[in-house]
Amino acid sequence: MKSAFPILVRGALFLLLVLLVTGFRPAGLFTAFAPIPQILFGLLLLACIFLRPFLDALGRALLTVSDRFFLCASLLLAFGLTALANVLVLDRVPHVTDSAAYLLQAKLFAMGRYTHPATALPEFFRPHFFFSDAAGRFVSLFQPGWPLILTPGVLLGIPWLINPLLGALTLWPLYRIVRRGFGPLAARLSVIVLLCSPFFVFMSASFMAHTASGLISLVALDQMLLHGQDNRRGRLFLSALLLGLLFTMRSYNAVLLVLPLAFAGLPMFFRHRFPFKELFGAFLIFLAPASVQFAVNAEITGDPFSYPQDLYFAHTEPDAHCHRLGFGADVGCEMEHGQFGFPDGFYFSDALGVTRQRISSLALNFLGVPAALALLLFPLAAGRLKREGIALILLLFSLVAGYFFFYYHGNCFGPRFYYEAVGSLGFLVALGALRLDGMLNGAARRLPSIRNALRALAPALLLTMLLFTVFWVYPKLWHSYKGFRGIDGNMRGILEESGVTHGLILLPGTGPNLSFGLNVVPPGFDGEILFARHHYEQSAQLMYAFPERDFYRLEPRRNRLIKLRKQLFDGVIFIKMDSKMPAWKNQGGFAESQNIQRYTDGRADRYQAYFDGHGPGAYFAVRQFIFEPGAYRLEANAMRGPYIGNWRLVVNDTPMEPEFPGYAKDYGFTNWRSENAVRLERGMAELRFEVTGKHPKGWAHAVGVESLVLRRIPDGLERPVPPVEDLGYMDRGRLLPLADIKKIPKLVLP
């Protein structure tokens, strides 16, 4: 009974973990996607009953292959699979806004720059996840480590091959760690499991930073485990160097990696003396690459411990500290992540839900069959784990526990915040299958009447997972990821078919669309092709700023370029106020883009700048480039309603009269025109909307402005807002008419 107690405890722990990760619905592990995997399991079980001797012989044959040959073949296969997925599925372009920003930053590094050049019209050119610094340059919120690794690929013209190479190399440290602790069969099965995992293949095919950080984490852990055996300082110092490199890529992951590294390095503390010199030397080596991050922080934010992302979210969110760890009403960035930003706050119960969501994503994307979660947890209930196994489990545990305190789910090709432990996941599934097989073989010896069925269960279960994933899940994901998040590689083909080699191309939709377009061309404003956001009538400003260029807009439904009629400045500057969000300045409130479809003509693309002011004196300000000097009057299409306060427009410290009376019983829009004029010179002007008070019946001090028009005296006073007109579509350098094409409404992405 005494010897059975540990088994009972570990079995109870295993069952508890299964209940937790399945949300106390464990039946879903075996009923998902019914009946296909269940039928497949039944057929494979029958086959394994008769073919178990063949499977044993296959396993022995696998062990006769040399380590070098197996690893080389596995690395080549992994590189081929991930590169193929990148070319055939992901079209060699980023599909996530994070990765688009990474690639753009790498292009800037390749040009010897850290920031994107300044522009007088930032609302047309600011990429997503970039913000404007004091000089007007665009600065990435992301850390520099991963874009630096991407830079050689940019210089060689093959940035899309960097992650497949790093993903393939991830198999090498995993194999080394598992082989030392659990033998060649477990190591080789771990590699095979990863090669079949969509999570591993598609993430390694992407432009995300997790593949590189996963490789660095495993190599650092491998070296630290070896240091625990042979006490060679070089291994400790290499781990410290890799930890510092990881700190420049994903600083929080570097902090979380300390736990498994500390466990792997425990033997050094039980030797004859405390390793003070070694630890101090390792700390200095860690600081060598980590200091790059501190220097970047100091240069961008003025504080070595404040990251550029802090400035970004301070500029784009009502709460400057929303993007952080922990719980509370102020945690979660609604402007950036919408409903996934927890606008009402992020709490412990929310963390449980987000973690369960990540685990559900893992169940689908790692091996397609949720039953893999049970195999993944099974090693905790059966057999010794050894140092190597515990270190790999701690790597997974540190990520799951660490990101429990982070509000955003981060699902992208799977739970990407867990990807750095993808080697741990492959190892646990492989070890779980081997230990389940060993346990069932032991039971088979005591139950000879069902011996063959018991011995067939584990291989049938593992084969079901692998075959179902390869032949059913992969085709589904292949189709799903083709054009993932509405992005594909068609832009290169569109440029070739149109014959356009010089000009400015307007892209519909939001900032992310522009980010993906920018990755087709070098950054800057001196290239043959420029991309900009299409703000419809406001896009005439681009024609004023770039009179030497031809202009085109992308028609996404037909994948073609429409040539536009060029406009010359005629004294009118039209501004869609939502294009100016986030505001240049906020005081006593926060300005944001707000959909006004229900208050206007029902068009889904109607937005306004909405400022939730806290009282008189609150204001928001935007900047506008003035193309030609002169005296200007201003007019606005502004909202009135119960929550709207009284406000005044101030242009370069000149108050414009009259004050706008914001209160009305019902919401609606009205035109306002200034009675006085203001003299403006060529260059940037500041337009400040100041709250002056509210009506006695008013409920708040808000400001809502849909559009603003600057009219130069006298030529622009009575002119209509200049339209952006289509001339025809481009086909191999020829301009063809649109008359014979059925009119299609413009595609506008909110």
Side-chain angles (χ1 to χ4, degrees):
M1 183 66 184
K2 183 178 179 181
S3 63
F5 181 73
I7 297 177
L8 291 174
V9 171
R10 296 173 73 174
L13 175 64
F14 167 69
L15 293 175
L16 177 62
L17 288 172
V18 169
L19 289 173
L20 287 174
V21 301
T22 58
F24 293 91
R25 291 188 290 270
L29 292 175
F30 308 102
T31 59
F33 303 114
I36 298 174
Q38 292 76 12
I39 294 173
L40 180 61
F41 174 72
L43 295 174
L44 288 171
L45 181 62
L46 288 175
C48 290
I49 288 175
F50 299 102
L51 297 177
R52 179 59 196 251
F54 171 76
L55 293 175
D56 291 338
L58 188 63
R60 290 191 295 269
L62 183 63
L63 293 177
T64 61
V65 177
S66 69
D67 286 339
R68 178 172 298 184
F69 180 84
F70 179 84
L71 261 181
C72 288
S74 299
L75 294 179
L76 287 174
L77 181 59
F79 179 74
L81 284 173
T82 53
L84 197 65
N86 186 291
V87 173
L88 298 182
V89 181
L90 302 181
D91 292 325
R92 296 181 295 155
V93 296
H95 285 252
V96 183
T97 47
D98 302 50
S99 54
Y102 286 135
L103 183 55
L104 180 56
Q105 184 69 61
K107 288 187 173 185
L108 289 169
F109 285 159
M111 300 172 69
R113 301 172 177 170
Y114 191 90
T115 59
H116 193 280
T119 172
L121 301 172
E123 60 268 30
F124 291 96
F125 295 104
R126 183 175 69 85
H128 198 62
F129 288 139
F130 281 70
F131 62 93
S132 298
D133 66 4
R137 300 169 301 179
F138 297 140
V139 184
S140 172
L141 72 85
F142 290 111
Q143 297 181 247
W146 170 233
L148 278 172
I149 295 175
L150 266 180
T151 301
V154 171
L155 292 171
L156 295 173
I158 51 170
W160 53 278
L161 283 180
I162 299 298
N163 252 351
L165 177 62
L166 299 178
L169 291 174
T170 301
L171 302 179
W172 168 66
L174 173 66
Y175 186 87
R176 286 163 53 91
I177 294 172
V178 179
R179 195 189 194 290
R180 287 198 306 272
F182 301 92
L185 183 58
R188 296 178 185 197
L189 193 55
S190 300
V191 168
I192 291 171
V193 168
L194 277 196
L195 287 173
C196 294
S197 169
F199 188 29
F200 169 76
V201 170
F202 285 110
M203 186 62 82
S204 297
S206 74
F207 285 83
M208 299 295 281
H210 302 276
T211 307
S213 55
L215 171 61
I216 289 171
S217 299
L218 277 177
V219 174
L221 189 60
D222 176 45
Q223 292 300 304
M224 204 65 179
L225 286 166
L226 287 172
H227 173 70
Q229 295 177 1
D230 58 23
N231 199 31
R232 291 173 58 181
R233 291 184 181 180
R235 300 192 188 280
L236 173 64
F237 294 160
L238 178 56
S239 293
L241 181 67
L242 291 170
L243 187 67
L245 179 59
L246 180 59
F247 189 82
T248 68
M249 298 168 56
R250 300 186 61 80
S251 293
Y252 187 49
N253 282 48
V255 173
L256 298 177
L257 184 60
V258 170
L259 175 63
L261 289 183
F263 170 80
L266 276 179
M268 79 170 79
F269 296 99
F270 295 97
R271 297 191 174 105
H272 63 279
R273 62 178 180 82
F274 187 80
F276 175 78
K277 292 182 179 179
E278 290 85 348
L279 290 176
F280 183 70
F283 178 69
L284 292 179
I285 291 173
F286 161 80
L287 283 180
S291 61
V292 173
Q293 183 64 60
F294 295 127
V296 167
N297 293 346
E299 175 66 22
I300 301 300
T301 70
D303 181 353
F305 302 105
S306 178
Y307 283 71
Q309 71 170 21
D310 300 331
L311 282 184
Y312 176 85
F313 287 104
H315 196 52
T316 59
E317 299 286 338
D319 193 311
H321 305 290
C322 64
H323 195 71
R324 63 178 178 85
L325 300 169
F327 307 121
D330 59 341
V331 177
C333 299
E334 181 184 4
M335 298 294 105
E336 185 62 53
H337 296 127
Q339 61 177 331
F340 301 112
F342 292 92
D344 298 322
F346 182 67
Y347 300 97
F348 186 83
S349 58
D350 299 314
L352 289 174
V354 170
T355 301
R356 191 174 297 124
Q357 185 181 14
R358 291 170 183 155
I359 291 173
S360 298
S361 177
L362 180 67
L364 170 65
N365 289 280
F366 186 69
L367 274 184
V369 181
L373 291 177
L375 270 188
L376 190 149
L377 297 170
F378 191 74
L380 300 176
R384 291 180 59 242
L385 289 172
K386 304 181 182 179
R387 286 180 64 243
E388 290 79 5
I390 294 175
L392 287 170
I393 289 173
L394 284 177
L395 177 60
L396 175 60
F397 170 80
S398 66
L399 291 169
V400 175
Y403 280 98
F404 181 84
F405 300 96
F406 187 58
Y407 71 94
Y408 187 56
H409 58 74
N411 288 331
C412 162
F413 306 112
R416 60 186 175 95
F417 295 142
Y418 298 166
Y419 179 83
E420 284 77 356
V422 70
S424 303
L425 295 169
F427 154 72
L428 286 171
V429 169
L431 187 64
L434 291 175
R435 289 197 165 167
L436 178 62
D437 188 49
M439 184 179 293
L440 292 173
N441 278 333
R445 288 191 290 270
R446 295 189 295 271
L447 299 169
S449 59
I450 55 172
R451 174 178 179 272
N452 291 338
L454 289 174
R455 296 188 71 232
L457 278 172
L461 179 60
L462 183 61
L463 284 172
T464 298
M465 294 177 184
L466 299 182
L467 293 177
F468 180 73
T469 300
V470 170
F471 293 104
W472 195 88
V473 176
Y474 261 106
K476 301 288 185 184
L477 292 178
W478 192 287
H479 176 75
S480 175
Y481 291 154
K482 185 74 175 176
F484 184 48
R485 299 192 175 180
I487 305 302
D488 54 38
N490 289 346
M491 184 57 72
R492 298 188 188 95
I494 293 172
L495 288 173
E496 292 176 3
E497 291 181 9
S498 68
V500 173
T501 58
H502 185 275
L504 194 151
I505 298 172
L506 302 175
L507 300 178
T510 57
N513 292 41
L514 172 62
S515 297
F516 297 116
L518 291 177
N519 283 311
V520 179
V521 296
F525 304 108
D526 52 0
E528 295 295 318
I529 296 290
L530 296 184
F531 286 97
R533 288 182 63 184
H534 191 8
H535 289 303
Y536 303 98
E537 294 90 345
Q538 185 177 341
S539 296
Q541 292 186 31
L542 290 168
M543 300 179 183
Y544 309 155
F546 298 91
E548 75 285 357
R549 289 185 178 268
D550 290 326
F551 287 80
Y552 310 86
R553 67 172 179 88
L554 173 66
E555 188 179 27
R557 291 189 181 182
R558 294 188 181 274
N559 283 335
R560 64 183 185 177
L561 296 182
I562 307 297
K563 189 169 184 179
L564 304 176
R565 187 184 305 280
K566 295 175 70 171
Q567 301 281 348
L568 298 177
F569 182 71
D570 58 1
V572 178
I573 302 175
F574 175 79
I575 304 170
K576 287 175 80 273
M577 285 298 296
D578 67 285
S579 73
K580 297 291 187 178
M581 300 296 102
W584 174 247
K585 294 178 183 177
N586 287 283
Q587 177 68 43
F590 186 79
E592 61 182 282
S593 176
Q594 182 188 63
N595 188 286
I596 53 174
Q597 176 182 0
R598 61 177 173 166
Y599 303 123
T600 53
D601 54 11
R603 281 172 50 195
D605 63 322
R606 293 297 296 274
Y607 287 82
Q608 70 170 347
Y610 183 81
F611 178 69
D612 186 11
H614 298 164
Y619 70 85
F620 77 96
V622 300
R623 298 200 304 173
Q624 173 60 44
F625 188 80
I626 305 302
F627 298 93
E628 292 186 11
Y632 285 81
R633 283 185 175 173
L634 290 86
E635 61 185 49
N637 187 37
M639 173 177 275
R640 300 186 71 198
Y643 280 86
I644 306 299
N646 301 333
W647 54 264
R648 175 178 286 111
L649 176 59
V650 180
V651 181
N652 287 350
D653 297 324
T654 300
M656 308 304 294
E657 301 294 345
E659 178 183 282
F660 182 82
Y663 174 78
K665 184 178 179 181
D666 299 310
Y667 286 105
F669 283 84
T670 187
N671 289 323
W672 167 90
R673 174 174 286 194
S674 67
E675 297 174 349
N676 59 320
V678 58
R679 173 73 188 183
L680 298 176
E681 302 299 330
R682 178 177 171 84
M684 281 294 186
E686 182 180 273
L687 312 174
R688 189 166 70 245
F689 295 81
E690 292 184 352
V691 177
T692 57
K694 67 181 181 68
H695 190 276
K697 295 182 179 180
W699 297 348
H701 297 86
V703 177
V705 185
E706 189 265 343
S707 62
L708 190 68
V709 184
L710 285 75
R711 297 186 177 278
R712 189 172 63 177
I713 301 173
D715 54 338
L717 280 181
E718 302 301 328
R719 289 185 185 275
V721 172
V724 175
E725 299 177 332
D726 297 340
L727 291 177
Y729 72 94
M730 300 301 298
D731 180 39
R732 303 193 183 281
R734 299 174 299 164
L735 180 64
L736 301 181
L738 295 170
D740 57 337
I741 303 296
K742 184 179 179 181
K743 192 73 174 177
I744 296 179
K746 294 177 181 178
L747 176 63
V748 179
L749 303 176

